[in-house]
Amino acid sequence: MTPKLKIPPPATGALPPDAQGARRPKTTRATLLDMKKHGEKIAMVTAYDFPFARLADQAGADVLLVGDSLGMVVLGFDNTLPVTLAHMLHHTQAVTRARPQAMVVADMPFMTYQVSPEEALRNAGRLVQEAGAEAVKLEGGAAIAPMVAAIARAGIPVMGHLGLTPQSVHQLGGYRVQGRGADAAARLQSDARALKDAGCFAIVLEAVPAALAREVTAVLEVPTIGIGAGKFCDGQVLVLHDLLGLFAEFVPRFVKQYADLGAAARTALQAYVTDVRSGRFPGDEHTYS
Ligand code: KIV
């Protein structure tokens, strides 16, 4: 039997240190607005479970996104469409159990917010009440402004998501760059304005030309968080499994891989299997007398 790992909870009132070892306060909507105002870049990363939420928080990430990308990188679906509210509740609960200083944003999965503002609000409320999310993220532009407004009016911070919106993959005809050409660029700009006016406190821009992301970032009062949207956004987000080298099925051009944990894990597992087969494990030091 695998021994149970004992991870001591932080002492009451104690803050986990960031990468520099300094203690930092809880990130809120106001913190992110302030960071934009002062030109400080926002670092957001996805997290889907307790151990990686802890690690990303200790590394100093400002925002942990429980993305519906979990459908692909954790649950093995072909896209994000099969992800349900039950999946999101389960994984958001695991992330918030890490009690991060980073803000926890939960994605609202496909068909949990498109039908009506009432349904959107009820489902957003469940992510906050049952899973401890501190904000929710919705994909889409002006068409979902009534849903954003209903959720924001109830006191739940809402993050928008424009450009390549993976829940619309069939309508978009694949995972392609969005906002190219004058009409598409103008549409994205007016969608960003509509989301801000409806109450979004930040907007993810995915797979859009850097020049367009720069323009949107310059005129918008709330932070933009880019993924494949160039360096002029107020912040950046990457999928955890992409940046750690844990998801090899499909690596978009915009991903920077900071580690190859997939290879490291495979090597470690091979060594374990070899040790078991050869009788090298367990040794005396792993054995009770
Ligand atoms: O689901 C997700 O991980 C996301 C990010 C790619 C922004 O929406």
Side-chain angles (χ1 to χ4, degrees):
M1 197 178 92
T2 313
K4 243 184 146 186
L5 281 182
K6 278 217 171 107
I7 301 169
T12 314
L15 305 178
D18 67 12
Q20 282 77 44
R23 296 193 180 279
R24 65 199 170 105
K26 178 78 185 170
T27 303
T28 66
R29 180 178 154 275
T31 316
L32 301 180
L33 288 169
D34 222 46
M35 287 174 79
K36 174 173 177 109
K37 218 180 284 167
H38 292 97
E40 288 169 42
K41 295 284 188 184
I42 297 162
M44 173 158 121
V45 64
T46 66
Y48 316 100
D49 60 25
F50 176 89
F52 278 111
R54 269 257 153 111
L55 290 169
D57 193 49
Q58 287 166 352
D62 300 298
V63 183
L64 302 183
L65 171 66
V66 190
D68 61 356
S69 51
L70 84 88
M72 296 161 87
V73 301
V74 175
L75 302 178
F77 295 129
D78 286 339
N79 54 48
T80 60
L81 299 178
V83 175
T84 63
L85 191 64
H87 291 137
M88 292 306 303
L89 287 167
H90 180 78
H91 286 272
T92 304
Q93 285 163 353
V95 167
T96 58
R97 274 183 213 119
R99 285 179 284 160
Q101 294 310 108
M103 180 185 211
V104 178
V105 180
D107 256 341
M108 295 196 68
F110 182 57
M111 291 313 292
T112 62
Y113 59 93
Q114 290 91 343
V115 175
S116 69
E118 291 74 18
E119 223 175 279
L121 174 55
R122 179 132 350 256
N123 289 327
R126 289 192 64 191
L127 286 163
V128 172
Q129 196 163 41
E130 296 174 35
E134 291 149 355
V136 295
K137 178 166 79 58
L138 282 64
E139 295 182 8
I144 61 149
M147 289 71 164
V148 170
I151 299 170
R153 259 199 313 272
I156 301 172
V158 185
M159 183 177 278
H161 185 155
L162 291 172
L164 171 52
T165 46
Q167 291 175 18
S168 306
V169 61
H170 298 313
Q171 192 177 47
L172 299 176
Y175 298 103
R176 346 165 158 261
V177 177
Q178 301 296 308
R180 279 202 174 129
D183 287 352
R187 211 164 35 245
L188 191 137
Q189 282 168 329
S190 75
D191 278 340
R193 175 55 52 197
L195 289 180
K196 151 72 183 63
D197 290 347
C200 279
F201 74 95
I203 299 177
V204 167
L205 299 176
E206 178 164 356
V208 301
L212 175 59
R214 184 182 201 171
E215 282 171 31
V216 173
T217 302
V219 298
L220 218 59
E221 300 81 356
V222 296
T224 59
I225 315 278
I227 173 162
K231 62 181 176 188
F232 299 109
C233 294
D234 297 304
Q236 298 292 326
V237 56
L238 278 179
V239 168
L240 178 85
H241 289 54
D242 288 341
L243 84 85
L244 294 181
L246 285 167
F247 187 71
E249 321 296 309
F250 171 68
V251 183
R253 174 194 160 140
F254 56 69
V255 169
K256 179 169 176 182
Q257 200 177 304
Y258 286 84
D260 193 355
L261 296 196
R266 200 177 306 110
T267 303
L269 289 163
Q270 277 166 350
Y272 165 71
V273 169
T274 305
D275 276 2
V276 169
R277 295 216 170 114
S278 67
R280 256 198 315 269
F281 177 82
D284 290 345
E285 68 275 32
H286 309 116
T287 305
Y288 300 108
S289 52

